[in-house]
Each structure stands twice: as structure tokens, then as C-alpha cells.
Amino acid sequence: MSGVLACEDLAVGYHGRQVLQGVSFELQAGEIVALLGPNGGGKSTLLKTLSGIVPKLSGTATVMGDDVEALSVREIARRIGFVPQEESWQFEFSVEEVVSMGRLPISNGFFDTAEDHRAAGDAMSRAGCLELRDRPVTELSGGERQRVLIARALAQGTPILFLDEPTSHLDPQHQIEIASLLRGMARDGKSILVAVHDLPVAGAMADRGILICGGSASPARDMDELLESQALEKAYSTEFERLRTESGRLVVVARAPGGGLKSPGI
């Protein structure tokens, strides 16, 4: 296996209860792979297993050539930045303090060096939350908090980035901005694995996709090829309309009863 991240015949779950099995794919440098599928299929569990948060049930998973379970928490944090769906805050940390926490695995100080401050400021700017830097995270909206979590992962400076539904709380403008940000990061060589709920967003950002449904995962396929596949209808139990934009991008939207179109989100 030659990818920066690879798994073979991986089974994941909680406390011995299997959620997903037979996962085999590689994530290459500079590539975005999207995890698609209905809610509860195991996308989040797979991300947590590959980042060492949840132990695997069977199979293999490696990060930059090393078995995930052989790495310490700090070693994983130097290789993988993780953006969860949401995070609760008990203390009134400022946005800048939260983003600076991403520097803990790599900083030579207590995330207060000049390099730490520069990295945190750059990350907030790229994630669109620089103007919030002095605000307590407890006072932010769901979308604002999501941008802060993305900024924290960017400040970490890892070669690999995992994101679990990064656009779920964002308005269309910020969805587009985050998709564009991730595409730019991939062009710079970062490897990105992202669970996506919104199919149009997935089509805009990902190079390849994996469809997770019924306890199993499809092979990683070219994103357009996967979106054109009738496997989507089977996985989501929904009919879809496929449209091509003037730029050539494929957009998939759910078809409402009677032939109309639903909201682009699933």
C-alpha cells in the first residue's frame, strides 16, 4: 500500500458491535476523497477509527506507513488534523485560543511562540473566522463554531486532514468557500478525507468518493463516475436528477414525488 493513508479489509464499530466492514482504499498526497452515504452508515466511525480515536475491529489501517494503533496520540496529531461534526465548550475560550490549541502537538512552547501566533492567524484568515478572534466560542453560532474547528485543524499543519460534515451548519456562501479552501489545500499537497452529507458539495470538492451503505463500503471511484452511478438511488432510497453546469460540473439533486426537485441537500 503506497498511499499516505491506507486501509485493507478494515472493520469498524464500537465495543465489538460491527458498524462497517470490508473497507479498502488508499488516500494519495494532494487528493480529496469523500465518504458518502445515508446517516448512521458508519462514516464518522470510520474517520474516528482511522485517526486512532476508536480501536479497529479487524483489518489494517496505516498512516504514512505506520499502523495507526502503533502510534501515540501525539504522533497521530502530527500527521492528521481532525475536524469533528461539533464540539461542546465548557469554558469561554476565545476563538484565537481555541485555534492556537491546534499547535499543541507541534509547538516548541505552550502554543505561544511567534510561529504559533502566525500559524493561528493564517488559519483563522483562511477559514473565514479572523474577525471572530476575540469572541468567546460559547457565544458563536453553529456555523461560526464550525469555521473555528476548521481553523484549529489548519493551524495544526498536518499533511492529512479529516473532516466530518464540515459544511453541515454553513450557509451556501460559506459552503462554497470551504469547498474552495479544501481544493486549494489539496493542490498544495494536503491529503483530505471528508464525510459529506450534501452531494453537490461533495461533487464540487472531491476527486474520488466512497459510498457507505448497509454495513459495507464501495471501492473509491472517480467522483463524477460515482455520482452518475445508480448506486446512489439504492443507497439513499431516493431518485436523483443529474445536471451539468455550464462549467461542466455534475450536480446531483433529489427528485421530489411528482418529478420536482428537492433541496440539493439529502
Side-chain angles (χ1 to χ4, degrees):
M1 294 184 286
S2 60
V4 295
L5 180 141
C7 54
E8 185 171 354
D9 199 24
L10 183 67
V12 304
Y14 295 95
H15 309 297
R17 182 180 66 85
Q18 184 172 281
V19 174
L20 185 61
Q21 66 176 349
V23 183
S24 299
F25 75 96
E26 295 183 5
L27 178 65
Q28 304 294 336
E31 179 183 40
I32 301 178
V33 172
L35 302 176
L36 306 178
N39 291 336
K43 300 185 295 295
S44 296
T45 306
L46 177 58
L47 288 176
K48 291 176 181 177
T49 301
L50 292 174
S51 57
I53 298 171
V54 175
K56 70 176 186 285
L57 299 183
S58 63
T60 61
T62 61
V63 179
M64 301 176 70
D66 295 315
D67 190 297
V68 171
E69 293 188 345
L71 297 172
S72 68
V73 172
R74 185 178 178 87
E75 288 171 328
I76 292 175
R78 286 173 174 261
R79 305 181 191 198
I80 299 173
F82 188 90
V83 180
Q85 284 190 36
E86 56 186 3
E87 192 167 317
S88 60
W89 301 98
Q90 304 301 321
F91 302 99
E92 294 187 349
F93 293 112
S94 71
V95 166
E96 185 169 15
E97 287 173 331
V98 170
V99 174
S100 295
M101 290 176 189
R103 301 294 298 169
L104 277 171
I106 55 178
S107 177
N108 293 321
F110 192 62
F111 54 83
D112 58 359
T113 67
E115 175 61 18
D116 293 334
H117 287 292
R118 186 205 61 77
D122 180 62
M124 287 186 287
S125 178
R126 295 176 71 187
C129 59
L130 185 62
E131 74 282 0
L132 304 173
R133 66 190 308 160
D134 297 322
R135 292 266 305 277
V137 290
T138 53
E139 297 179 3
L140 302 182
S141 69
E144 289 170 337
R145 289 190 187 193
Q146 191 67 10
R147 282 184 276 152
V148 172
L149 292 176
I150 292 172
R152 183 179 65 184
L154 294 180
Q156 210 167 320
T158 57
I160 303 170
L161 185 63
F162 288 176
L163 303 100
D164 194 357
E165 306 288 358
T167 62
S168 59
H169 298 296
L170 302 182
D171 58 39
Q173 177 185 348
H174 286 108
Q175 287 184 348
I176 293 170
E177 290 176 358
I178 293 302
S180 178
L181 169 63
L182 296 181
R183 287 295 337 153
M185 293 166 62
R187 285 193 296 270
D188 291 339
K190 194 178 289 288
S191 304
I192 299 171
L193 183 64
V194 53
V196 188
H197 189 65
D198 192 305
L199 295 181
V201 172
M205 73 167 69
D207 300 297
R208 293 190 295 155
I210 297 171
L211 186 58
I212 294 175
C213 179
S216 62
S218 74
R221 302 168 64 180
D222 175 83
M223 199 66 224
D224 268 16
E225 179 184 328
L226 179 57
L227 292 177
E228 289 173 341
S229 169
Q230 293 300 305
L232 285 185
E233 274 79 0
K234 182 177 180 180
Y236 289 99
S237 299
T238 302
E239 292 294 320
F240 292 101
E241 188 82 13
R242 292 161 174 85
L243 310 169
R244 285 281 178 187
T245 66
E246 292 184 359
S247 64
R249 185 167 71 85
L250 179 65
V251 177
V252 178
V253 291
R255 183 181 297 149
L261 297 181
K262 295 181 182 179
S263 169
I266 302 304

PDB file of all heavy atoms in Angstrom, residues 138-160:
ATOM      1  N   THR A 138     -18.249  30.174  23.144  1.00  0.00           N
ATOM      2  CA  THR A 138     -19.577  29.857  23.682  1.00  0.00           C
ATOM      3  C   THR A 138     -20.657  30.783  23.148  1.00  0.00           C
ATOM      4  O   THR A 138     -21.844  30.489  23.293  1.00  0.00           O
ATOM      5  CB  THR A 138     -19.561  29.930  25.219  1.00  0.00           C
ATOM      6  OG1 THR A 138     -19.029  31.198  25.620  1.00  0.00           O
ATOM      7  CG2 THR A 138     -18.702  28.809  25.800  1.00  0.00           C
ATOM      8  N   GLU A 139     -20.266  31.898  22.529  1.00  0.00           N
ATOM      9  CA  GLU A 139     -21.235  32.858  22.013  1.00  0.00           C
ATOM     10  C   GLU A 139     -21.429  32.764  20.502  1.00  0.00           C
ATOM     11  O   GLU A 139     -22.167  33.555  19.926  1.00  0.00           O
ATOM     12  CB  GLU A 139     -20.803  34.284  22.368  1.00  0.00           C
ATOM     13  CG  GLU A 139     -20.752  34.565  23.864  1.00  0.00           C
ATOM     14  CD  GLU A 139     -20.294  35.985  24.176  1.00  0.00           C
ATOM     15  OE1 GLU A 139     -20.067  36.754  23.212  1.00  0.00           O
ATOM     16  OE2 GLU A 139     -20.172  36.319  25.372  1.00  0.00           O
ATOM     17  N   LEU A 140     -20.788  31.789  19.870  1.00  0.00           N
ATOM     18  CA  LEU A 140     -20.834  31.696  18.419  1.00  0.00           C
ATOM     19  C   LEU A 140     -22.007  30.851  17.938  1.00  0.00           C
ATOM     20  O   LEU A 140     -22.500  29.967  18.650  1.00  0.00           O
ATOM     21  CB  LEU A 140     -19.533  31.075  17.894  1.00  0.00           C
ATOM     22  CG  LEU A 140     -18.226  31.789  18.250  1.00  0.00           C
ATOM     23  CD1 LEU A 140     -17.055  31.059  17.610  1.00  0.00           C
ATOM     24  CD2 LEU A 140     -18.256  33.249  17.812  1.00  0.00           C
ATOM     25  N   SER A 141     -22.410  31.092  16.712  1.00  0.00           N
ATOM     26  CA  SER A 141     -23.426  30.256  16.073  1.00  0.00           C
ATOM     27  C   SER A 141     -22.796  28.929  15.663  1.00  0.00           C
ATOM     28  O   SER A 141     -21.565  28.762  15.680  1.00  0.00           O
ATOM     29  CB  SER A 141     -23.984  30.963  14.838  1.00  0.00           C
ATOM     30  OG  SER A 141     -22.990  31.034  13.818  1.00  0.00           O
ATOM     31  N   GLY A 142     -23.643  27.985  15.246  1.00  0.00           N
ATOM     32  CA  GLY A 142     -23.133  26.687  14.817  1.00  0.00           C
ATOM     33  C   GLY A 142     -22.187  26.802  13.637  1.00  0.00           C
ATOM     34  O   GLY A 142     -21.137  26.148  13.592  1.00  0.00           O
ATOM     35  N   GLY A 143     -22.538  27.629  12.657  1.00  0.00           N
ATOM     36  CA  GLY A 143     -21.669  27.811  11.503  1.00  0.00           C
ATOM     37  C   GLY A 143     -20.353  28.463  11.855  1.00  0.00           C
ATOM     38  O   GLY A 143     -19.299  28.102  11.323  1.00  0.00           O
ATOM     39  N   GLU A 144     -20.394  29.435  12.762  1.00  0.00           N
ATOM     40  CA  GLU A 144     -19.162  30.104  13.188  1.00  0.00           C
ATOM     41  C   GLU A 144     -18.250  29.131  13.934  1.00  0.00           C
ATOM     42  O   GLU A 144     -17.031  29.113  13.733  1.00  0.00           O
ATOM     43  CB  GLU A 144     -19.503  31.304  14.074  1.00  0.00           C
ATOM     44  CG  GLU A 144     -20.125  32.460  13.312  1.00  0.00           C
ATOM     45  CD  GLU A 144     -20.681  33.542  14.219  1.00  0.00           C
ATOM     46  OE1 GLU A 144     -20.999  33.239  15.406  1.00  0.00           O
ATOM     47  OE2 GLU A 144     -20.813  34.695  13.763  1.00  0.00           O
ATOM     48  N   ARG A 145     -18.833  28.304  14.786  1.00  0.00           N
ATOM     49  CA  ARG A 145     -18.030  27.311  15.509  1.00  0.00           C
ATOM     50  C   ARG A 145     -17.371  26.336  14.541  1.00  0.00           C
ATOM     51  O   ARG A 145     -16.230  25.923  14.743  1.00  0.00           O
ATOM     52  CB  ARG A 145     -18.908  26.533  16.492  1.00  0.00           C
ATOM     53  CG  ARG A 145     -19.369  27.345  17.693  1.00  0.00           C
ATOM     54  CD  ARG A 145     -20.010  26.440  18.719  1.00  0.00           C
ATOM     55  NE  ARG A 145     -20.619  27.196  19.802  1.00  0.00           N
ATOM     56  CZ  ARG A 145     -21.022  26.660  20.952  1.00  0.00           C
ATOM     57  NH1 ARG A 145     -20.888  25.362  21.147  1.00  0.00           N
ATOM     58  NH2 ARG A 145     -21.564  27.403  21.890  1.00  0.00           N
ATOM     59  N   GLN A 146     -18.107  25.945  13.481  1.00  0.00           N
ATOM     60  CA  GLN A 146     -17.540  25.005  12.517  1.00  0.00           C
ATOM     61  C   GLN A 146     -16.316  25.596  11.834  1.00  0.00           C
ATOM     62  O   GLN A 146     -15.310  24.907  11.636  1.00  0.00           O
ATOM     63  CB  GLN A 146     -18.602  24.633  11.476  1.00  0.00           C
ATOM     64  CG  GLN A 146     -18.222  23.465  10.580  1.00  0.00           C
ATOM     65  CD  GLN A 146     -18.146  22.154  11.338  1.00  0.00           C
ATOM     66  OE1 GLN A 146     -18.555  22.076  12.491  1.00  0.00           O
ATOM     67  NE2 GLN A 146     -17.605  21.138  10.709  1.00  0.00           N
ATOM     68  N   ARG A 147     -16.368  26.875  11.505  1.00  0.00           N
ATOM     69  CA  ARG A 147     -15.207  27.520  10.877  1.00  0.00           C
ATOM     70  C   ARG A 147     -14.030  27.594  11.844  1.00  0.00           C
ATOM     71  O   ARG A 147     -12.868  27.467  11.444  1.00  0.00           O
ATOM     72  CB  ARG A 147     -15.595  28.919  10.388  1.00  0.00           C
ATOM     73  CG  ARG A 147     -16.382  28.894   9.089  1.00  0.00           C
ATOM     74  CD  ARG A 147     -16.674  30.281   8.578  1.00  0.00           C
ATOM     75  NE  ARG A 147     -17.865  30.839   9.202  1.00  0.00           N
ATOM     76  CZ  ARG A 147     -18.081  32.124   9.388  1.00  0.00           C
ATOM     77  NH1 ARG A 147     -17.153  32.998   9.034  1.00  0.00           N
ATOM     78  NH2 ARG A 147     -19.193  32.550   9.935  1.00  0.00           N
ATOM     79  N   VAL A 148     -14.318  27.756  13.128  1.00  0.00           N
ATOM     80  CA  VAL A 148     -13.251  27.776  14.130  1.00  0.00           C
ATOM     81  C   VAL A 148     -12.589  26.405  14.234  1.00  0.00           C
ATOM     82  O   VAL A 148     -11.360  26.290  14.339  1.00  0.00           O
ATOM     83  CB  VAL A 148     -13.808  28.215  15.498  1.00  0.00           C
ATOM     84  CG1 VAL A 148     -12.756  28.046  16.592  1.00  0.00           C
ATOM     85  CG2 VAL A 148     -14.265  29.671  15.438  1.00  0.00           C
ATOM     86  N   LEU A 149     -13.382  25.337  14.207  1.00  0.00           N
ATOM     87  CA  LEU A 149     -12.827  23.985  14.271  1.00  0.00           C
ATOM     88  C   LEU A 149     -11.956  23.691  13.048  1.00  0.00           C
ATOM     89  O   LEU A 149     -10.906  23.043  13.153  1.00  0.00           O
ATOM     90  CB  LEU A 149     -13.953  22.953  14.372  1.00  0.00           C
ATOM     91  CG  LEU A 149     -14.762  22.961  15.671  1.00  0.00           C
ATOM     92  CD1 LEU A 149     -15.899  21.955  15.594  1.00  0.00           C
ATOM     93  CD2 LEU A 149     -13.869  22.661  16.873  1.00  0.00           C
ATOM     94  N   ILE A 150     -12.378  24.179  11.881  1.00  0.00           N
ATOM     95  CA  ILE A 150     -11.563  24.005  10.684  1.00  0.00           C
ATOM     96  C   ILE A 150     -10.259  24.787  10.818  1.00  0.00           C
ATOM     97  O   ILE A 150      -9.179  24.284  10.479  1.00  0.00           O
ATOM     98  CB  ILE A 150     -12.351  24.451   9.438  1.00  0.00           C
ATOM     99  CG1 ILE A 150     -13.508  23.484   9.179  1.00  0.00           C
ATOM    100  CG2 ILE A 150     -11.440  24.533   8.213  1.00  0.00           C
ATOM    101  CD1 ILE A 150     -14.467  23.941   8.100  1.00  0.00           C
ATOM    102  N   ALA A 151     -10.332  26.003  11.348  1.00  0.00           N
ATOM    103  CA  ALA A 151      -9.128  26.814  11.550  1.00  0.00           C
ATOM    104  C   ALA A 151      -8.165  26.130  12.511  1.00  0.00           C
ATOM    105  O   ALA A 151      -6.948  26.151  12.304  1.00  0.00           O
ATOM    106  CB  ALA A 151      -9.505  28.199  12.064  1.00  0.00           C
ATOM    107  N   ARG A 152      -8.693  25.521  13.570  1.00  0.00           N
ATOM    108  CA  ARG A 152      -7.825  24.823  14.526  1.00  0.00           C
ATOM    109  C   ARG A 152      -7.055  23.692  13.842  1.00  0.00           C
ATOM    110  O   ARG A 152      -5.856  23.504  14.080  1.00  0.00           O
ATOM    111  CB  ARG A 152      -8.649  24.272  15.681  1.00  0.00           C
ATOM    112  CG  ARG A 152      -7.808  23.599  16.770  1.00  0.00           C
ATOM    113  CD  ARG A 152      -8.667  23.084  17.909  1.00  0.00           C
ATOM    114  NE  ARG A 152      -9.570  22.017  17.471  1.00  0.00           N
ATOM    115  CZ  ARG A 152     -10.483  21.445  18.261  1.00  0.00           C
ATOM    116  NH1 ARG A 152     -10.627  21.846  19.508  1.00  0.00           N
ATOM    117  NH2 ARG A 152     -11.260  20.493  17.795  1.00  0.00           N
ATOM    118  N   ALA A 153      -7.739  22.939  12.981  1.00  0.00           N
ATOM    119  CA  ALA A 153      -7.074  21.853  12.263  1.00  0.00           C
ATOM    120  C   ALA A 153      -6.044  22.391  11.276  1.00  0.00           C
ATOM    121  O   ALA A 153      -4.969  21.799  11.100  1.00  0.00           O
ATOM    122  CB  ALA A 153      -8.110  21.004  11.542  1.00  0.00           C
ATOM    123  N   LEU A 154      -6.343  23.519  10.637  1.00  0.00           N
ATOM    124  CA  LEU A 154      -5.377  24.115   9.716  1.00  0.00           C
ATOM    125  C   LEU A 154      -4.128  24.573  10.460  1.00  0.00           C
ATOM    126  O   LEU A 154      -2.997  24.429   9.974  1.00  0.00           O
ATOM    127  CB  LEU A 154      -6.009  25.298   8.981  1.00  0.00           C
ATOM    128  CG  LEU A 154      -7.156  24.988   8.021  1.00  0.00           C
ATOM    129  CD1 LEU A 154      -7.673  26.268   7.381  1.00  0.00           C
ATOM    130  CD2 LEU A 154      -6.707  24.013   6.964  1.00  0.00           C
ATOM    131  N   ALA A 155      -4.314  25.131  11.658  1.00  0.00           N
ATOM    132  CA  ALA A 155      -3.168  25.598  12.446  1.00  0.00           C
ATOM    133  C   ALA A 155      -2.258  24.440  12.846  1.00  0.00           C
ATOM    134  O   ALA A 155      -1.069  24.637  13.101  1.00  0.00           O
ATOM    135  CB  ALA A 155      -3.664  26.324  13.699  1.00  0.00           C
ATOM    136  N   GLN A 156      -2.812  23.244  12.894  1.00  0.00           N
ATOM    137  CA  GLN A 156      -2.054  22.058  13.278  1.00  0.00           C
ATOM    138  C   GLN A 156      -0.968  21.740  12.257  1.00  0.00           C
ATOM    139  O   GLN A 156       0.042  21.127  12.586  1.00  0.00           O
ATOM    140  CB  GLN A 156      -3.031  20.879  13.395  1.00  0.00           C
ATOM    141  CG  GLN A 156      -2.652  19.825  14.408  1.00  0.00           C
ATOM    142  CD  GLN A 156      -3.824  18.881  14.663  1.00  0.00           C
ATOM    143  OE1 GLN A 156      -4.967  19.326  14.743  1.00  0.00           O
ATOM    144  NE2 GLN A 156      -3.547  17.608  14.791  1.00  0.00           N
ATOM    145  N   GLY A 157      -1.203  22.123  10.998  1.00  0.00           N
ATOM    146  CA  GLY A 157      -0.178  21.977   9.967  1.00  0.00           C
ATOM    147  C   GLY A 157       0.135  20.553   9.580  1.00  0.00           C
ATOM    148  O   GLY A 157       1.275  20.247   9.205  1.00  0.00           O
ATOM    149  N   THR A 158      -0.844  19.656   9.630  1.00  0.00           N
ATOM    150  CA  THR A 158      -0.609  18.245   9.327  1.00  0.00           C
ATOM    151  C   THR A 158      -0.696  17.981   7.822  1.00  0.00           C
ATOM    152  O   THR A 158      -1.384  18.703   7.096  1.00  0.00           O
ATOM    153  CB  THR A 158      -1.652  17.371  10.042  1.00  0.00           C
ATOM    154  OG1 THR A 158      -2.955  17.804   9.635  1.00  0.00           O
ATOM    155  CG2 THR A 158      -1.519  17.485  11.545  1.00  0.00           C
ATOM    156  N   PRO A 159      -0.047  16.910   7.346  1.00  0.00           N
ATOM    157  CA  PRO A 159      -0.148  16.572   5.919  1.00  0.00           C
ATOM    158  C   PRO A 159      -1.486  15.953   5.546  1.00  0.00           C
ATOM    159  O   PRO A 159      -1.853  15.921   4.375  1.00  0.00           O
ATOM    160  CB  PRO A 159       0.997  15.577   5.707  1.00  0.00           C
ATOM    161  CG  PRO A 159       1.223  14.962   7.046  1.00  0.00           C
ATOM    162  CD  PRO A 159       0.933  16.053   8.046  1.00  0.00           C
ATOM    163  N   ILE A 160      -2.227  15.447   6.543  1.00  0.00           N
ATOM    164  CA  ILE A 160      -3.515  14.791   6.304  1.00  0.00           C
ATOM    165  C   ILE A 160      -4.583  15.515   7.108  1.00  0.00           C
ATOM    166  O   ILE A 160      -4.355  15.916   8.247  1.00  0.00           O
ATOM    167  CB  ILE A 160      -3.464  13.302   6.721  1.00  0.00           C
ATOM    168  CG1 ILE A 160      -2.346  12.571   5.975  1.00  0.00           C
ATOM    169  CG2 ILE A 160      -4.809  12.617   6.470  1.00  0.00           C
ATOM    170  CD1 ILE A 160      -2.075  11.174   6.506  1.00  0.00           C
TER     171      ILE A 160
END
